[in-house]
PDB file of all heavy atoms in Angstrom:
ATOM      1  N   GLU A 136       9.161   7.420 -43.347  1.00  0.00           N
ATOM      2  CA  GLU A 136       8.003   8.266 -43.599  1.00  0.00           C
ATOM      3  C   GLU A 136       7.518   8.117 -45.031  1.00  0.00           C
ATOM      4  O   GLU A 136       6.459   8.614 -45.384  1.00  0.00           O
ATOM      5  CB  GLU A 136       8.343   9.738 -43.320  1.00  0.00           C
ATOM      6  CG  GLU A 136       8.556  10.070 -41.860  1.00  0.00           C
ATOM      7  CD  GLU A 136       7.254  10.054 -41.081  1.00  0.00           C
ATOM      8  OE1 GLU A 136       6.222  10.450 -41.635  1.00  0.00           O
ATOM      9  OE2 GLU A 136       7.273   9.616 -39.921  1.00  0.00           O
ATOM     10  N   VAL A 176      28.564   2.091 -44.228  1.00  0.00           N
ATOM     11  CA  VAL A 176      27.827   1.525 -43.093  1.00  0.00           C
ATOM     12  C   VAL A 176      27.678   2.562 -41.987  1.00  0.00           C
ATOM     13  O   VAL A 176      26.628   2.673 -41.350  1.00  0.00           O
ATOM     14  CB  VAL A 176      28.514   0.256 -42.576  1.00  0.00           C
ATOM     15  CG1 VAL A 176      27.921  -0.174 -41.231  1.00  0.00           C
ATOM     16  CG2 VAL A 176      28.381  -0.870 -43.588  1.00  0.00           C
ATOM     17  N   ARG A 209     -10.858   7.530  -7.348  1.00  0.00           N
ATOM     18  CA  ARG A 209     -11.644   6.386  -6.892  1.00  0.00           C
ATOM     19  C   ARG A 209     -10.875   5.597  -5.847  1.00  0.00           C
ATOM     20  O   ARG A 209     -11.439   5.070  -4.912  1.00  0.00           O
ATOM     21  CB  ARG A 209     -11.981   5.470  -8.084  1.00  0.00           C
ATOM     22  CG  ARG A 209     -13.060   6.012  -8.968  1.00  0.00           C
ATOM     23  CD  ARG A 209     -13.639   4.903  -9.831  1.00  0.00           C
ATOM     24  NE  ARG A 209     -12.641   4.207 -10.585  1.00  0.00           N
ATOM     25  CZ  ARG A 209     -12.208   4.591 -11.780  1.00  0.00           C
ATOM     26  NH1 ARG A 209     -12.688   5.686 -12.329  1.00  0.00           N
ATOM     27  NH2 ARG A 209     -11.307   3.889 -12.427  1.00  0.00           N
ATOM     28  N   CYS A 296       5.516   9.136 -17.977  1.00  0.00           N
ATOM     29  CA  CYS A 296       4.429   8.344 -17.391  1.00  0.00           C
ATOM     30  C   CYS A 296       4.390   8.508 -15.879  1.00  0.00           C
ATOM     31  O   CYS A 296       3.310   8.621 -15.283  1.00  0.00           O
ATOM     32  CB  CYS A 296       4.612   6.863 -17.747  1.00  0.00           C
ATOM     33  SG  CYS A 296       4.383   6.498 -19.502  1.00  0.00           S
ATOM     34  N   TRP A 325       1.947   7.315  -4.687  1.00  0.00           N
ATOM     35  CA  TRP A 325       3.028   6.344  -4.853  1.00  0.00           C
ATOM     36  C   TRP A 325       2.474   4.919  -4.819  1.00  0.00           C
ATOM     37  O   TRP A 325       2.869   4.080  -5.625  1.00  0.00           O
ATOM     38  CB  TRP A 325       4.056   6.542  -3.745  1.00  0.00           C
ATOM     39  CG  TRP A 325       5.303   5.716  -3.886  1.00  0.00           C
ATOM     40  CD1 TRP A 325       6.473   6.106  -4.462  1.00  0.00           C
ATOM     41  CD2 TRP A 325       5.516   4.372  -3.428  1.00  0.00           C
ATOM     42  NE1 TRP A 325       7.397   5.085  -4.400  1.00  0.00           N
ATOM     43  CE2 TRP A 325       6.832   4.007  -3.772  1.00  0.00           C
ATOM     44  CE3 TRP A 325       4.720   3.459  -2.770  1.00  0.00           C
ATOM     45  CZ2 TRP A 325       7.361   2.769  -3.472  1.00  0.00           C
ATOM     46  CZ3 TRP A 325       5.242   2.203  -2.470  1.00  0.00           C
ATOM     47  CH2 TRP A 325       6.553   1.874  -2.818  1.00  0.00           C
ATOM     48  N   ALA A 486       5.836 -13.521  23.351  1.00  0.00           N
ATOM     49  CA  ALA A 486       4.900 -13.132  24.408  1.00  0.00           C
ATOM     50  C   ALA A 486       5.623 -12.485  25.569  1.00  0.00           C
ATOM     51  O   ALA A 486       5.057 -11.686  26.300  1.00  0.00           O
ATOM     52  CB  ALA A 486       4.110 -14.355  24.883  1.00  0.00           C
ATOM     53  N   ASN A 545     -16.723   4.576  31.594  1.00  0.00           N
ATOM     54  CA  ASN A 545     -16.951   5.083  30.240  1.00  0.00           C
ATOM     55  C   ASN A 545     -15.844   4.642  29.285  1.00  0.00           C
ATOM     56  O   ASN A 545     -16.095   4.183  28.166  1.00  0.00           O
ATOM     57  CB  ASN A 545     -17.044   6.607  30.253  1.00  0.00           C
ATOM     58  CG  ASN A 545     -18.397   7.105  30.731  1.00  0.00           C
ATOM     59  OD1 ASN A 545     -19.406   6.422  30.597  1.00  0.00           O
ATOM     60  ND2 ASN A 545     -18.412   8.301  31.307  1.00  0.00           N
ATOM     61  N   SER A 607     -42.689   8.040  70.320  1.00  0.00           N
ATOM     62  CA  SER A 607     -41.298   7.832  70.740  1.00  0.00           C
ATOM     63  C   SER A 607     -40.720   9.057  71.403  1.00  0.00           C
ATOM     64  O   SER A 607     -39.548   9.064  71.753  1.00  0.00           O
ATOM     65  CB  SER A 607     -40.434   7.438  69.541  1.00  0.00           C
ATOM     66  OG  SER A 607     -40.899   6.242  68.967  1.00  0.00           O
TER      67      SER A 607
END
Side-chain angles (χ1 to χ4, degrees):
E136 290 288 324
V176 169
R209 284 198 306 273
C296 292
W325 187 95
N545 282 333
S607 300

